[in-house]
Amino acid sequence: MWSPCVACATTIPFFERGLVVVNEQSHPYDSLDELTNRLADIRSNVYCIDPVTNRQTAPITAGNLLDQIANRDTIELIQHGEFESHLQPIVHLDTGERFGYEALLRSRNDISPGQLFQAANRFGLHSKLDQRARAEAIKATYHAVLPHEKTFINFLPSTIYNPDYCLQHTFEVIDRYDLSPDRFIFEVVETEKVQDVAHLQHVFSTYKKRGMKVALDDVGAGFSTLDMLKRLEPDYVKIDRSYISFCDQDAEKRAFLKNVRQLTRTMGITLLAEGIERAEEVDVCRELGFDLAQGYYFGKPAPYAL
């Protein structure tokens, strides 16, 4: 048996009716509008209680509770709303055949992924949202990705506090759909901002022990050093789109891409160019020996139901 990850299980309850506790004194309210008016002039910590279930919120400042109430639709979406994964194709550069897809989280009410993750981070729900995104990607793989194709799934290292516990939900979803672990490649979002390399090593190791592959996303000149790649030992490296865009017209970009190709080849790392939008960029990456590519040139993310 494993213990659930407390961070991933975090929820923010909203009691439409209940008691708000201010300075150890309880005040009843009959609607969130009434609660909002009551909190307007309070500066101390408060918490709410549902008198029927005796559930209560965490003690926070009145201002933070007001912020949560004002954004409760987005918070409820993150916690309980409907999501889906859109799939963007990834192809072999030498043959043009499809290698697999990257799964990208989308909500069904047109809130952008950026807005969702900003809100999740703001209200302490980023682990919850990241976990739900991984689950939706696995579901999409079951329904739409062929058995010989791979699925790239994004994750934020900062949301995985203890890989031995926090990733168990992801592994359970894979087992529930009876999918082979080697169909999945988990890629770090915002590679350049990774600070705790030892923690990321632990996360990578946990994925690999379960038979999955790992990737570094958005790799640029500041991260692609021999020492860092040796420490993390990724199976795949994705090159930041800023180095791909119009690389056919920029000698410095081509020199960087050539150096990365030589470095990753010696380490047995599969190299992927992302953000390709023009045939000229395809030609450069193919000539340099890149393995894989994705971008609007090959296809935009689309609902897997299509």
Side-chain angles (χ1 to χ4, degrees):
M1 293 292 294
W2 57 275
S3 300
C5 177
V6 174
C8 295
T10 298
T11 59
I12 297 176
F14 294 101
F15 306 137
E16 296 288 340
R17 295 180 179 180
L19 304 172
V20 58
V21 180
V22 183
N23 296 325
E24 302 306 319
Q25 293 186 346
S26 300
H27 306 274
Y29 63 91
D30 292 321
S31 69
L32 289 177
D33 287 339
E34 183 180 342
L35 175 61
T36 298
N37 292 333
R38 186 179 292 276
L39 293 173
D41 298 321
I42 296 174
R43 297 292 176 264
S44 58
N45 280 6
V46 301
Y47 61 92
C48 296
I49 301 175
D50 180 349
V52 177
T53 63
N54 286 324
R55 288 184 68 202
Q56 68 180 54
T57 64
I60 57 174
T61 66
N64 284 340
L65 182 54
L66 282 170
D67 197 17
Q68 290 181 3
I69 294 172
N71 292 276
R72 62 185 178 274
D73 289 344
T74 302
I75 290 173
E76 289 286 359
L77 172 63
I78 292 170
Q79 297 181 145
H80 309 295
E82 291 189 3
F83 292 109
E84 63 183 2
S85 273
H86 286 200
L87 300 175
Q88 184 174 27
I90 295 172
V91 304
H92 292 278
L93 265 175
D94 55 350
T95 65
E97 295 180 353
R98 189 168 62 234
F99 173 79
Y101 298 91
E102 179 177 356
L104 301 163
L105 184 69
R106 297 290 186 268
S107 71
R108 297 185 179 182
N109 60 358
D110 297 326
I111 297 180
S112 73
Q115 290 175 306
L116 280 173
F117 277 97
Q118 284 178 3
N121 189 60
R122 182 174 168 188
F123 298 112
L125 297 171
H126 50 300
S127 293
K128 181 79 171 180
L129 182 59
D130 203 45
Q131 183 189 78
R132 295 199 65 194
R134 295 195 298 271
E136 285 298 330
I138 294 165
K139 177 181 175 182
T141 301
Y142 173 79
H143 285 291
V145 180
L146 297 177
H148 68 278
E149 297 173 338
K150 310 294 185 184
T151 302
F152 281 77
I153 301 178
N154 297 308
F155 75 93
L156 292 163
S158 60
T159 69
I160 302 173
Y161 298 90
N162 185 332
D164 298 321
Y165 292 129
C166 294
L167 294 179
Q168 289 304 319
H169 175 269
T170 298
F171 301 150
E172 283 193 345
V173 177
I174 291 174
D175 292 340
R176 187 187 313 151
Y177 285 104
D178 195 25
L179 298 172
S180 175
D182 65 6
R183 295 178 63 177
F184 298 98
I185 301 162
F186 287 88
E187 62 176 273
V188 179
V189 176
E190 296 182 329
T191 291
E192 293 282 0
K193 297 181 180 179
V194 171
Q195 301 295 325
D196 190 345
V197 178
H199 174 66
L200 184 53
Q201 283 178 308
H202 188 185
V203 176
F204 273 13
S205 175
T206 304
Y207 278 127
K208 289 184 175 184
K209 286 177 182 177
R210 294 298 298 258
M212 301 159 202
K213 302 296 185 182
V214 294
L216 297 179
D217 187 24
D218 294 333
V219 170
F223 196 92
S224 56
T225 64
L226 181 60
D227 177 65
M228 193 64 73
L229 291 178
K230 280 185 174 180
R231 290 179 66 184
L232 293 173
E233 297 181 330
D235 302 293
Y236 295 81
V237 163
K238 283 187 168 186
I239 299 303
D240 190 289
R241 66 185 65 237
S242 64
Y243 293 93
I244 302 298
S245 180
F246 290 93
C247 58
D248 54 300
Q249 301 177 18
D250 191 318
E252 289 187 7
K253 288 184 180 181
R254 291 196 301 276
F256 168 74
L257 296 177
K258 182 178 179 180
N259 289 337
V260 173
R261 171 68 285 187
Q262 292 173 345
L263 176 62
T264 53
R265 180 178 284 124
T266 62
M267 301 181 66
I269 297 172
T270 300
L271 193 60
L272 186 154
E274 59 181 348
I276 289 182
E277 297 186 1
R278 302 164 54 250
E280 293 84 355
E281 294 158 0
V282 176
D283 293 338
V284 170
C285 292
R286 184 183 291 122
E287 290 169 5
L288 291 175
F290 275 53
D291 304 293
L292 305 171
Q294 74 180 102
Y296 285 4
Y297 182 82
F298 302 104
K300 297 181 177 180
Y304 70 79
L306 299 180

